[in-house]
Amino acid sequence: MNSAAAVRGLLNRPTVAAPYLARPFVNIYDLEGTTEAPFLSEANISYAARLFEKRVNPNPVYVADTVDDAPRRRTPQVAILGHSNVGKSSLLNSLLYGKMLPRFAKDVRSNAKMLKEPVFAPVSDNPGRTRHMFTFDLGGDLSLVDLPGYGYAKVPDVRQMCPQAFTYASQNLRNEWSVLVNKYLTQAPSLQRLLSLIDSHKGPGELDVKLWEMLQEMRLPFQVVLTKCEALKPHELHLVCQRTVEMLKAYGDCVHPYVHATSALRQLGIAELKLSIAHIAYTHAAKRNIVQ
C-alpha cells in the first residue's frame, strides 16, 4: 500500500485513548514530549518577543494575473493555507495583532480600500470569499503570506436561475485559485514553510490530504496547525491530534514534526505558534550572523 492510500485509510479510522495529546503542540515523533522543542530556547523566545513587536508592513494584493509582478525578496516567508472557513484570517490576525478583528473590514473599511491597503487579513462570514494573496512583513525579518482558502467557491444568485452558469462560474473560481497558489508556490524562493490549517472539529479531510500530497511532490515543507480548538474537550482534541499525527507520518521529511493546536477566539496556543514561526526567522538571521 502506498503512502497516499495509507493516509486515506486513516481518514475514517476510529481511535480511542487517554487525552495526553491535548496540548498546545505535539511532536509527531515524540508524543510523550520527552525532548524540548528547539523553538522554546531562551534565545528564540527573546527573538520572538522583539519580532512580533515590530510594525506590520502590508504589501500589495496579488491575484492570479498579477502574482508574477510580486517582488522576489530574500525575507523568509511563511505561507498560510487551508480549507475555506478554517479560521485562517482570524489566526493570522491573532499572530500579527494579538486579536481576531472579526468584522473590522466590514464595519470600518470598504472592500476597495481593503484590497488597496491590506492593513490586516480580511475576515469574511462567507467561506471562499477571499481570492487574493496578502503578504505582511515584520520589519523585513519575516513575511507572513495569506493565501486564499480552497474547497469552497460561493457564486451568489445564479445557482437556481441557471445551474450551468453556477457550475461554470464555480469552476472558474477554482481555476483562479489553482493558478494563483501554484504560481506562488513555484515562484517563491524565500518560502521556508507552509502552514496547513485544519479545522479541529473536522480533522484532516480529502482536500487537505490532496494538498499534502501536492506539497510532498513539490518537495515543499509544511506544518499542520489545528484551529478552533476552544470548543473541544480534552479527549476530543486528543483524538483529532492522534489521527492527524498518524496521517502525517506518511510524508517523511516534508512535514514539520510539530503539530500545533490553537484557538484565535481564546488565544490558546497562539504564543507557542508564534515561537515556532519566529524560529524560522531566528535561524535565518543566525546563519547570516545578524541576530540582534
Side-chain angles (χ1 to χ4, degrees), residues 62-64 66-68 70-72 75-81 133-135 143-148 176-195 215 218 220:
Y62 299 101
V63 294
T66 63
V67 70
D68 290 327
R72 304 291 184 261
T75 304
Q77 294 184 341
V78 176
I80 303 177
L81 187 59
M133 185 181 83
F134 299 84
T135 60
S143 180
L144 300 184
V145 182
D146 181 10
L147 293 173
E176 182 182 355
W177 177 91
S178 179
V179 171
L180 171 60
V181 173
N182 276 285
K183 277 189 174 182
Y184 169 74
L185 293 179
T186 57
Q187 299 178 17
S190 297
L191 178 62
Q192 301 298 308
R193 188 182 304 169
L194 192 143
L195 301 186
L215 296 175
M218 298 175 72
L220 292 175

Side-chain angles (χ1 to χ4, degrees), residues 4-275:
V7 168
R8 294 178 190 283
L10 289 169
L11 284 175
N12 298 312
R13 176 180 171 182
T15 53
V16 179
Y20 69 96
L21 296 183
R23 306 196 301 268
F25 59 88
V26 173
N27 186 333
I28 64 177
Y29 301 113
D30 178 21
L31 298 182
E32 300 293 338
T34 58
T35 58
E36 184 173 89
F39 53 82
L40 293 182
S41 69
E42 289 296 331
N44 186 64
I45 291 174
S46 298
Y47 181 86
R50 297 192 299 271
L51 177 67
F52 283 97
E53 285 178 353
K54 294 185 177 182
R55 179 179 178 180
V56 179
N57 298 310
N59 291 308
V61 177
Y62 299 101
V63 294
D65 292 337
T66 63
V67 70
D68 290 327
D69 299 329
R72 304 291 184 261
R73 297 185 175 91
R74 294 185 178 181
T75 304
Q77 294 184 341
V78 176
I80 303 177
L81 187 59
H83 198 286
S84 298
N85 208 30
V86 75
K88 174 172 54 67
S89 295
S90 293
L91 178 67
L92 182 55
N93 286 328
S94 291
L95 292 171
L96 293 173
Y97 306 108
K99 51 187 175 180
M100 287 183 62
L101 300 173
R103 289 181 173 79
F104 190 87
K106 180 185 298 185
D107 296 341
V108 181
R109 299 167 66 86
S110 67
N111 287 338
K113 190 171 185 179
M114 180 66 245
L115 294 178
K116 185 177 180 181
E117 303 173 13
V119 176
F120 54 89
V123 179
S124 174
D125 293 330
N126 298 321
R129 182 74 175 271
T130 303
R131 295 185 297 277
H132 303 83
M133 185 181 83
F134 299 84
T135 60
F136 302 89
D137 287 342
L138 290 169
D141 296 321
L142 183 69
S143 180
L144 300 184
V145 182
D146 181 10
L147 293 173
Y150 53 84
Y152 188 99
K154 184 175 182 180
V155 184
D157 302 327
V158 297
R159 181 194 293 268
Q160 295 180 353
M161 295 173 57
C162 181
Q164 293 84 358
F166 178 85
T167 301
Y168 177 77
S170 295
Q171 186 62 50
N172 279 349
L173 293 180
R174 286 192 290 269
N175 290 341
E176 182 182 355
W177 177 91
S178 179
V179 171
L180 171 60
V181 173
N182 276 285
K183 277 189 174 182
Y184 169 74
L185 293 179
T186 57
Q187 299 178 17
S190 297
L191 178 62
Q192 301 298 308
R193 188 182 304 169
L194 192 143
L195 301 186
S196 172
L197 304 191
I198 304 296
D199 189 331
S200 62
H201 296 191
K202 303 174 182 178
E206 288 283 351
L207 290 178
D208 302 309
V209 170
K210 288 181 180 179
L211 172 67
W212 299 347
E213 292 171 355
M214 180 186 75
L215 296 175
Q216 184 183 42
E217 183 177 346
M218 298 175 72
R219 302 300 300 168
L220 292 175
F222 68 93
Q223 179 178 20
V224 168
V225 177
L226 301 175
T227 64
K228 304 180 182 180
C229 293
E230 67 276 355
L232 295 185
K233 296 179 180 178
H235 74 276
E236 294 173 330
L237 179 56
H238 168 86
L239 289 177
V240 70
C241 282
Q242 185 181 52
R243 185 161 66 101
T244 302
V245 163
E246 290 182 8
M247 295 171 68
L248 289 174
K249 289 180 179 178
Y251 296 93
D253 57 3
C254 278
V255 63
H256 192 273
Y258 287 93
V259 175
H260 285 261
T262 65
S263 166
L265 180 64
R266 303 297 183 191
Q267 293 294 295
L268 303 175
I270 300 299
E272 291 82 357
L273 182 57
K274 280 185 175 182
L275 292 177

